[in-house]
Amino acid sequence: MNKIILLIHCPDQQGIIAKVTNLIAESKGNTVYLEQHVDTDEGAFFMRLECEFLPESKVLELFKKRFSEEIAIPNKMEWQMFDPSVTPKMAIFVSKYSHCLYDILGRHAAGELDVDIPIIISNHKDMAEVAANFQIPYAYIPVNKSNKIEAEAKQIELLKKKKVDFIVLARYMQILSGDFVNHYTNKVINIHHSFLPAFPGAKPYHSAHNRGVKIIGATSHYVTSDLDEGPIIEQEVVKVTHTHSVNDFIAKGRDVEKIVLSRGIKHHIKRKVLVYNNKTVVFD
Amino acid sequence: MNKIILLIHCPDQQGIIAKVTNLIAESKGNTVYLEQHVDTDEGAFFMRLECEFLPESKVLELFKKRFSEEIAIPNKMEWQMFDPSVTPKMAIFVSKYSHCLYDILGRHAAGELDVDIPIIISNHKDMAEVAANFQIPYAYIPVNKSNKIEAEAKQIELLKKKKVDFIVLARYMQILSGDFVNHYTNKVINIHHSFLPAFPGAKPYHSAHNRGVKIIGATSHYVTSDLDEGPIIEQEVVKVTHTHSVNDFIAKGRDVEKIVLSRGIKHHIKRKVLVYNNKTVVFD
Amino acid sequence: MNKIILLIHCPDQQGIIAKVTNLIAESKGNTVYLEQHVDTDEGAFFMRLECEFLPESKVLELFKKRFSEEIAIPNKMEWQMFDPSVTPKMAIFVSKYSHCLYDILGRHAAGELDVDIPIIISNHKDMAEVAANFQIPYAYIPVNKSNKIEAEAKQIELLKKKKVDFIVLARYMQILSGDFVNHYTNKVINIHHSFLPAFPGAKPYHSAHNRGVKIIGATSHYVTSDLDEGPIIEQEVVKVTHTHSVNDFIAKGRDVEKIVLSRGIKHHIKRKVLVYNNKTVVFD
Amino acid sequence: MNKIILLIHCPDQQGIIAKVTNLIAESKGNTVYLEQHVDTDEGAFFMRLECEFLPESKVLELFKKRFSEEIAIPNKMEWQMFDPSVTPKMAIFVSKYSHCLYDILGRHAAGELDVDIPIIISNHKDMAEVAANFQIPYAYIPVNKSNKIEAEAKQIELLKKKKVDFIVLARYMQILSGDFVNHYTNKVINIHHSFLPAFPGAKPYHSAHNRGVKIIGATSHYVTSDLDEGPIIEQEVVKVTHTHSVNDFIAKGRDVEKIVLSRGIKHHIKRKVLVYNNKTVVFD
């Protein structure tokens, strides 16, 4: 059978579930899984379907055509269709901190992440050996104030050459330009080491310690041109007490960062995430 | 509009979502919310729908007839239909511990639980004053080894008289007979003060302390004739350390019990729970 | 035996534990429990001791004198001594939301909070009946822009008359003046319905929903003249998803508020909290 | 300064804190950190101290002698003294699952675990490459029913040769004999993939799924001759729902296993753990 994943977003309206599932049935397809959400405040409708179609020639092609013409266009629908048998290509950006990189590469090696990793890009040389140990190409592209535009051009050229589908910033300490981000809308996943919107910007663990909070956390989110303001995919926290120093916050926070980032990556890979109004619908 | 909640459980099969949503659309109804689950191991399909129908006479009646004949019977479906405008009637059974009782009555008074509470039944007189403060009738029905059958007969008579839909055991320290439970299948919610299946039976906090665990918890579940073996609705835990005595376990555990029990009650009231194979599907 | 709780805060220095425990031993006392913390960044030392002394006349008096002269003064120590057999008096301030009030009163009635509650003060009449059900005096003191000074004067007069030791703001919707707060430094416990410093001020659940966070929380803290900026005692969170409306956030948040507030109260009652640098040391 | 960590366990008695801290002060030492616990049910006293002594010859030696003669022996004390400047040597036992191994080696490489890892021992060849990537010696020692005694003899010989202080079973799928365990009492840390005592033995995720629990977890514990019955060091859980398959349980559980195991290792390395009555005191 040919499988597809269908993500739908449109103004809420009567009978939309019936229309879609009916067309699938008429097209000799089967709706294996359906998840749906209505944001009643916004009048917005969201749906994620996993479907199977007969592997006959043109069955799927015909469905796409009819879906577009008979459902998507008249209902002002934004939609995406994915073939789950195609493995997405993920680039990792990293600077000097190794814990998120080790975590992602360890999960990948253990078979937990269904992606290809054609390239690791860094503004430092420090992680080259880690990449080598995991047999992954490593590109050292230094970035500073004067060469940022050229550096990003190099990065994008490399990403295109490697046919990268999405990017993970594994504690990459550079801010991407709006131009760069526009090339990869909702395709750059960052890990921020606080539970946003608390403690945006630099040194959140220090700020948290200074404020005397009893909980610290991490946030994975899609990168937008507003720093630390993009749509949140996942958040997790861990308790702290007065006995913990800033270094303890950092050490405890690492575990949360790793988990939150890897969950964000998994949701993205499985096509579970829809973005609207700078928020996410995560069908988990 | 006439609203209904529809709970469906049947063998998994192709096109079932389309069939149901289609009939709703044909019946001039609208599927407002649809949640679905497939247990692929068991080949079982589950669905919960919230629908609206035109408030014309016979529209809903006709839908029910067609649903039963055209969909439910041919697809070997078990199904339940609820009118969400009808407030369910909940009885509370309690013994001497007051914390769960206070919590439920406080939530009810604060408008958090959309139920009527026509009766509190107890094998002790201790909680009569609490019931009185919340203006709820209280029935003292003593239970001992020799009068258990008669006591349960009295309880059931009272429950029927009060038209009770479901029962909450708010730390009720008596074991209900299989006969009693059969009168209220999947309609008696118990709170057990451990994360089952660890520490079933009496004094779980003492057993947990003795074992030196670092986490304690609570479980709300439907009561079956096997003690502490019924389908689990909700579980929650809290961390403990070596510094906590058995009494600290009990005090910390109370908060978990209250939350887990109230969540179980809410899920049940909102018709979110389906039971099969001694497990629950909770559409949350 | 005469029990005392001793809270100590001083510049960190060599031998301080030995000095204190030694004097206790010399005074025929026994150190039953000792908890200690060093903030190495600040060079600050904190200690909490539970001690027993022989119930002979003057034993404790002599210890206090020697402790003050031989240890506290030479070591620039701030210290507090409490008699745990004296039950503290707690006032509750409330407005229109009942859930925290019900929770505190329910816990108190169930024997969980070792305090007296001589008065509930409110700027509305709504909660008078709840107070009456729990047999607690209720004072209705309306507050508006023009009468704030007079209203606070009435409140303070009543608190003094009732010999109140500390105050709990159980979702009290008025901001206390700096003057009021100065009367009760580190003795007014507030519950804020977000995990501070995220979402200070009004309507945090709405802000959280708007931002699309995946976690919401609550914070209990001592009230200072800076709104929502006081020393944090306890924080807790709960997960949310895109399926939850603002009202769901509010309902889920209530459970967190109740737990976080009651934990803050318990820590305060048990003399577990030391405040310094706008942060807390909570010996738990 | 010469630092030491002192772990003490004795029958509870008056003045013990003063005696110990006093001797330290008399020996020109400083008590930097003191944590203490009294199990009032058992009448047992526990203490962990971090102390500094002048780096003069014999200062520490003299303290040890006086501590042993004047305090430990008369007070029937069990005690251990550690030099925190000595890095402990940790062996890892592994079978075919790689996630815990990757996690430990990644943490070690990132500087998070202050241990040497002189050897990885496995009953399979699968993880040899992972070990090689992290430049750690790997010993393949096959184990089966007929050669178990010889295999354990080889393991112990290797552990002694490498001067191993403690052993981590990173999902090692063989049961160690009582003989082996007796060589390393409270020095073998295992990760069990359930929150014990629920689901001991093989395939806990399958059992958990079958029971329909809403929470799964993991437990790190010292290995004793009773399988899965040893003193618990750390436990953590994660929520699951009806939507999760057994494989989802396994994937979610892995993250918990990694965290719980690494926390157990860290507590052990920092000499934070005391064992008594098959329970742990973890000074965290």
Side-chain angles (χ1 to χ4, degrees), chain B residues 36-37 39 41 195-199 209-215 221 228-237 239 241-246 263 277-284, chain D residues 36-37 39 41 195-199 209-215 221 228-237 239 241-246 263 277-284:
Chain B
Q36 168 237 344
H37 172 60
D39 185 326
D41 295 337
F195 49 87
L196 291 171
F199 309 120
H209 196 264
N210 196 44
R211 178 63 184 91
V213 297
K214 302 300 185 187
I215 283 173
H221 64 94
D228 301 331
E229 294 284 338
I232 293 169
I233 309 171
E234 266 277 334
Q235 296 188 295
E236 189 59 87
V237 296
K239 297 217 147 194
T241 74
H242 65 272
T243 63
H244 297 110
S245 64
V246 172
R263 283 191 199 149
N277 273 7
N278 204 44
K279 300 203 275 193
T280 61
V281 169
V282 180
F283 287 120
D284 185 21
Chain D
Q36 167 237 345
H37 172 60
D39 185 327
D41 294 338
F195 48 87
L196 291 171
F199 310 120
H209 196 263
N210 196 44
R211 178 63 185 89
V213 297
K214 302 300 188 187
I215 282 173
H221 64 94
D228 301 334
E229 294 284 338
I232 293 169
I233 309 171
E234 266 277 334
Q235 295 187 294
E236 190 57 87
V237 296
K239 299 216 146 195
T241 73
H242 66 273
T243 63
H244 297 110
S245 64
V246 173
R263 283 191 199 150
N277 273 8
N278 204 45
K279 300 203 275 192
T280 61
V281 169
V282 181
F283 287 120
D284 184 20

Side-chain angles (χ1 to χ4, degrees), chain D residues 97-151:
Chain D
Y97 291 113
S98 64
H99 59 283
C100 283
L101 181 64
Y102 267 122
D103 187 69
I104 295 170
L105 297 181
R107 286 174 193 273
H108 187 246
E112 202 180 305
L113 298 176
D114 193 18
V115 283
D116 293 329
I117 307 177
I119 189 72
I120 295 170
I121 293 176
S122 180
N123 56 333
H124 294 283
K125 292 180 176 170
D126 305 56
M127 295 297 120
E129 198 184 323
V130 178
N133 283 345
F134 286 87
Q135 283 87 45
I136 298 188
Y138 187 86
Y140 166 51
I141 301 178
V143 183
N144 55 50
K145 277 187 185 172
S146 62
N147 81 340
K148 185 152 187 163
I149 293 172
E150 295 87 338

Side-chain angles (χ1 to χ4, degrees), chain B residues 186-209:
Chain B
N186 298 332
K187 287 178 179 166
V188 184
I189 300 172
N190 185 42
I191 180 72
H192 182 75
H193 38 317
S194 78
F195 49 87
L196 291 171
F199 309 120
K203 293 197 173 280
Y205 292 127
H206 290 76
S207 304
H209 196 264

Side-chain angles (χ1 to χ4, degrees), chain B residues 91-237:
Chain B
I92 303 172
F93 280 41
V94 69
S95 292
K96 292 187 160 192
Y97 291 114
S98 63
H99 58 283
C100 283
L101 182 64
Y102 266 121
D103 188 70
I104 295 169
L105 297 180
R107 287 173 193 274
H108 188 246
E112 202 180 305
L113 299 176
D114 193 18
V115 283
D116 293 330
I117 307 177
I119 189 72
I120 294 170
I121 294 176
S122 180
N123 56 332
H124 293 283
K125 291 180 177 173
D126 305 55
M127 295 297 121
E129 198 184 324
V130 178
N133 283 344
F134 286 86
Q135 284 87 46
I136 298 189
Y138 187 85
Y140 165 53
I141 302 178
V143 183
N144 55 49
K145 278 187 186 173
S146 62
N147 81 341
K148 182 149 188 166
I149 293 171
E150 296 86 338
E152 289 197 344
K154 273 190 208 170
Q155 289 168 349
I156 288 173
E157 192 189 351
L158 186 53
L159 294 169
K160 300 230 153 144
K161 192 181 142 199
K162 297 282 187 176
K163 291 182 177 147
V164 162
D165 293 301
F166 72 104
I167 298 160
V168 170
L169 308 184
R171 299 293 308 273
Y172 182 64
M173 306 304 278
Q174 294 287 325
I175 296 170
L176 299 175
S177 73
D179 252 19
F180 186 104
V181 173
N182 287 338
H183 274 85
Y184 290 95
T185 305
N186 298 332
K187 287 178 179 166
V188 184
I189 300 172
N190 185 42
I191 180 72
H192 182 75
H193 38 317
S194 78
F195 49 87
L196 291 171
F199 309 120
K203 293 197 173 280
Y205 292 127
H206 290 76
S207 304
H209 196 264
N210 196 44
R211 178 63 184 91
V213 297
K214 302 300 185 187
I215 283 173
I216 56 171
T219 304
S220 61
H221 64 94
Y222 288 119
V223 176
T224 61
S225 51
D226 287 328
L227 185 66
D228 301 331
E229 294 284 338
I232 293 169
I233 309 171
E234 266 277 334
Q235 296 188 295
E236 189 59 87
V237 296

Side-chain angles (χ1 to χ4, degrees), chain D residues 1 11 18 24 28 38 41 64 71 74 79 84 121 127 132 151-152 158-159 171 176 181 219 224 239 244 252 270:
Chain D
M1 302 289 279
I24 292 166
K28 296 183 197 290
V38 178
D41 294 338
K64 279 187 205 176
I71 296 183
W79 59 288
I121 293 176
M127 295 297 120
E152 289 198 344
L158 187 54
L159 295 169
R171 298 294 307 273
L176 299 175
V181 173
T219 304
T224 60
K239 299 216 146 195
H244 297 110
K252 276 182 165 276
K270 291 180 184 164

Side-chain angles (χ1 to χ4, degrees), chain C residues 78 80 82 156 159-160 164-167 176-190 221-225 230-231 233 268 271 273-280:
Chain C
E78 291 177 33
Q80 299 167 274
F82 297 100
I156 288 173
L159 295 169
K160 301 228 151 144
V164 162
D165 293 301
F166 72 105
I167 298 161
L176 299 175
S177 73
D179 253 19
F180 186 105
V181 173
N182 287 338
H183 274 85
Y184 290 94
T185 305
N186 298 331
K187 287 178 180 168
V188 183
I189 300 172
N190 185 40
H221 64 94
Y222 287 118
V223 176
T224 61
S225 52
I233 309 171
H268 186 89
R271 316 298 186 181
V273 191
L274 275 161
V275 175
Y276 86 116
N277 273 7
N278 204 44
K279 300 202 274 190
T280 62

